[in-house]
Amino acid sequence: MDALYNILDNLYHMTAFSDIIAANGTFIIMYLLAFVLLYLGIVKHFEPLLLIPIAFGVLIANFPGGEMGVYQADEAGCIRDAAGNVLAENIWEMSLPAIAHELGLMNFLYYMLIKTGFLPPVIFMGVGALTDFGPMLRNLKLAIFGAAAQLGIFAVLLVAVGSGFFTIKEAAALGIIGGADGPTAIFTTIKLAPHLLAPIAIAAYSYMALVPVIIPLVVKLLCSKKELMINMKEQDKLFPPKNKMKNEKIIKIIFPIAVTTIVALLVPSAVSLIGMLMFGNLLKEIGSDTARLFDTISNAVMNTCTVFLGLCVGATMTVQAFLNWTTIGIVVGGFFAFGLSIASGICMVKVWNCFSKKKINPLIGATGLSAVPMASRVCNLISTQYDPKNHVLNYCMSSNVAGVIGSAVAAGVLISFLQNTTF
Amino acid sequence: MITNDIFGALQLMAVGMLTVFCILIIVILLGTLLIKLVNKYAPEEVQAKKPVAAANNAVAAIDATTKAVIDATVAQITGGKGRVAKITKL
């Protein structure tokens, strides 16, 4: 009888039932969240390439007994479990095999790939390979709206700090959601507030997926029908651009090299993002000589990185890291950062139109945040609703691509100012 | 403490927005300069424009909106390098 009891007891402890009964039940909330994210990714097709790995990361990180959740180290590098027991005295002195052995696979991946800041710049390299700077070079003046649209980042940073709810580093990580650029948001958060990585990544990618909802909402609030019917092609006929490219290929090859050099001189902390973006773009623009490299970084490398980034970010979403008021603050603040970025781009176009003879459709300002190319596609759709012949896609892509550079520069400024401060 | 942080945030806002504007203005100026220099010293554009002209008659039967959509799709997929040579109805 005792032998049978022992066997059943061993079986009970082998399965997860003992851990489920010992757990306090909050993991079910995380499970529901994972299912919601999976639903959004699989059924609603909201950023499926990232939301599905993130959701699955949440799923495997929160199952009791699975030991797949990522533990966040405190400033001294000490790692504790939910009960406060010390798991590692100083993770920064541990070797990667020791992390893998003592803290599990997900912690190994997280501390090797995410915490080192490795993945976001590599993904940026892939983004660069998929970005065409042609529309921006053809409409260079419109790139300035990519700068205006970064106001949301700093406005939300200011409000978040003023609320007293966030430290200045946390507020900066929250504000960068307004840049509408996933890798930039993750990179900045890793540097400034790594304990907020999960909610910020989720908020950033969720709002990017909601661009088709948020942009029309802000545009309806701020733009008149007359403004939305401004036809950019007609404006180009009335006021033709002065500099037409006669040799686009050469310009597109020199451009990424020149921009990297300028950014490296002025904001060196943004080089890891801008440099990789431009390197990817350069490989694309060179053409057949680097076609194999271009193919690798825009497919194999980028997809591999996306898988591990998604899984690791999902695995940081444990009960103790996610279920708190800070997460709600991030969700609300992120929305305002996003909305303000769109609004500030639109407002700058309106100011521009007051002083310029050549009128600009305010939708071009709305695409000043990143979210390439979805923001441009959404704005093109809005403009064609008012005038079926008014295609603004190419013009929007100019400020949209400039927004990628703008948000990376903003991230560089935040990191260089705050990384070593004790605010 | 919060007052210090607000002051820091205001400072960041001023420096950040100024830097972003400066960088993008420099990018615009740099791009303009590049275009001018390349137009002056290496203006030749290697593009197969003839097939497009030749294809115009064949395309005439297709309405302008459909052609614009096909052109835009080809331009996006090929990164602006591809040209529509011929459009035939299947």
Side-chain angles (χ1 to χ4, degrees):
Chain A
M1 193 64 190
D2 274 355
L4 183 64
Y5 175 78
N6 278 340
I7 291 169
L8 288 174
D9 189 53
N10 284 340
L11 268 174
Y12 173 70
H13 283 100
M14 184 194 80
T15 61
F17 294 112
S18 58
D19 296 300
I20 291 171
I21 288 165
N24 64 7
T26 44
F27 78 92
I28 293 169
I29 300 172
M30 298 310 293
Y31 245 60
L32 288 175
L33 181 71
F35 287 132
V36 169
L37 293 176
L38 280 171
Y39 172 78
L40 290 175
I42 298 168
V43 181
K44 293 287 178 185
H45 309 292
F46 283 0
E47 298 276 343
L49 293 179
L50 223 104
L51 276 192
I52 293 169
I54 288 178
F56 213 83
V58 179
L59 210 64
I60 57 176
N62 285 285
F63 207 77
E67 306 285 327
M68 292 286 271
V70 167
Y71 298 107
Q72 291 293 346
D74 63 19
E75 286 187 2
C78 181
I79 286 188
R80 296 169 194 275
D81 64 9
N85 304 316
V86 175
L87 297 175
E89 289 287 348
N90 189 350
I91 195 163
W92 312 127
E93 290 178 355
M94 290 172 76
S95 64
L96 285 172
I99 292 175
H101 183 254
E102 289 174 32
L103 302 172
L105 172 70
M106 290 314 296
N107 283 285
F108 168 75
L109 290 174
Y110 175 78
Y111 282 96
M112 182 178 68
L113 301 175
I114 306 279
K115 194 72 182 172
T116 52
F118 171 74
L119 284 187
V122 178
I123 290 181
F124 240 58
M125 183 170 72
V127 171
L130 297 172
T131 302
D132 181 13
F133 284 105
M136 185 177 134
L137 288 163
R138 281 190 284 275
N139 302 286
L140 266 170
K141 279 183 185 168
L142 301 181
I144 200 67
F145 302 116
Q150 308 309 319
L151 188 69
I153 296 174
F154 297 101
V156 167
L157 159 69
L158 186 63
V159 173
V161 166
S163 73
F165 198 61
F166 295 95
T167 65
I168 194 163
K169 284 184 178 180
E170 290 172 341
L174 164 61
I176 202 72
I177 295 173
D181 198 316
T184 305
I186 289 171
F187 188 74
T188 311
T189 309
I190 292 164
K191 299 278 181 191
L192 300 179
H195 55 290
L196 299 182
L197 180 63
I200 285 176
I202 288 290
Y205 280 103
S206 300
Y207 290 136
M208 277 164 66
L210 288 172
V211 156
V213 178
I214 301 174
I215 288 184
L217 187 78
V218 180
V219 165
K220 265 190 184 173
L221 282 173
L222 293 177
C223 301
S224 66
K225 188 180 173 186
K226 189 185 166 191
E227 286 173 322
L228 295 173
M229 287 184 72
I230 294 174
N231 191 314
M232 293 302 294
K233 280 179 186 161
E234 282 176 12
Q235 291 293 318
D236 270 353
K237 280 179 194 165
L238 290 171
F239 308 96
K242 287 173 189 166
N243 298 312
K244 283 194 174 178
M245 286 186 283
K246 290 180 184 170
N247 194 339
E248 197 169 317
K249 186 173 169 62
I250 288 187
I251 293 169
K252 280 178 159 183
I253 288 174
I254 301 172
F255 184 73
I257 302 167
V259 170
T260 308
T261 311
I262 293 293
V263 173
L265 281 172
L266 298 176
V267 195
S269 52
V271 171
S272 47
L273 289 175
I274 295 283
M276 295 301 261
L277 179 87
M278 294 299 173
F279 171 62
N281 187 255
L282 180 65
L283 292 182
K284 168 184 176 276
E285 296 303 342
I286 288 171
S288 56
D289 287 347
T290 51
R292 282 163 55 197
L293 299 183
F294 162 69
D295 182 51
T296 306
I297 62 168
S298 59
N299 289 301
V301 172
M302 195 173 169
N303 292 340
T304 309
C305 290
T306 306
V307 167
F308 287 118
L309 182 80
L311 275 177
C312 290
V313 167
T316 60
M317 290 173 65
T318 52
V319 172
Q320 58 268 35
F322 198 78
L323 291 185
N324 51 52
W325 287 105
T326 310
T327 302
I328 293 168
I330 287 166
V331 170
V332 175
F335 179 79
F336 280 107
F338 224 86
L340 276 171
S341 290
I342 299 166
S344 52
I346 292 173
C347 290
M348 181 155 175
V349 172
K350 285 171 177 260
V351 173
W352 180 287
N353 283 346
C354 291
F355 298 100
S356 172
K357 284 181 186 172
K358 183 177 180 177
K359 303 298 176 198
I360 292 169
N361 194 314
L363 289 168
I364 290 155
T367 51
L369 79 172
S370 305
V372 181
M374 197 196 282
S376 295
R377 286 208 302 262
V378 170
C379 286
N380 190 54
L381 199 70
I382 297 172
S383 75
T384 50
Q385 280 169 358
Y386 288 88
D387 175 4
K389 288 178 183 171
N390 190 10
H391 291 277
V392 292
L393 185 68
N394 266 332
Y395 302 94
C396 286
M397 280 302 286
S398 176
S399 61
N400 211 179
V401 172
V404 178
I405 299 174
S407 59
V409 170
V413 171
L414 292 175
I415 291 167
S416 61
F417 265 73
L418 296 175
Q419 196 173 18
N420 298 318
T421 61
T422 51
F423 274 115
Chain B
M1 186 64 184
I2 287 180
T3 319
N4 275 346
D5 279 356
I6 290 176
F7 181 72
L10 274 170
Q11 212 178 0
L12 260 178
M13 191 181 204
V15 174
M17 285 308 290
L18 201 69
T19 311
V20 173
F21 268 102
C22 282
I23 295 275
L24 280 173
I25 287 170
I26 291 170
V27 167
I28 292 168
L29 295 175
L30 190 76
T32 312
L33 184 72
L34 257 178
I35 292 170
K36 279 184 178 169
L37 287 175
V38 172
N39 283 356
K40 192 173 178 184
Y41 296 108
E44 70 273 12
E45 173 82 290
V46 187
Q47 276 187 350
K49 291 194 173 174
K50 283 185 178 174
V52 178
N56 278 345
N57 291 337
V59 172
I62 293 167
D63 70 276
T65 314
T66 313
K67 187 184 174 296
V69 169
I70 294 168
D71 281 344
T73 311
V74 170
Q76 194 174 7
I77 290 170
T78 60
K81 288 170 191 149
R83 299 268 163 196
V84 178
K86 193 179 177 186
I87 301 172
T88 48
K89 282 188 179 178
L90 294 173

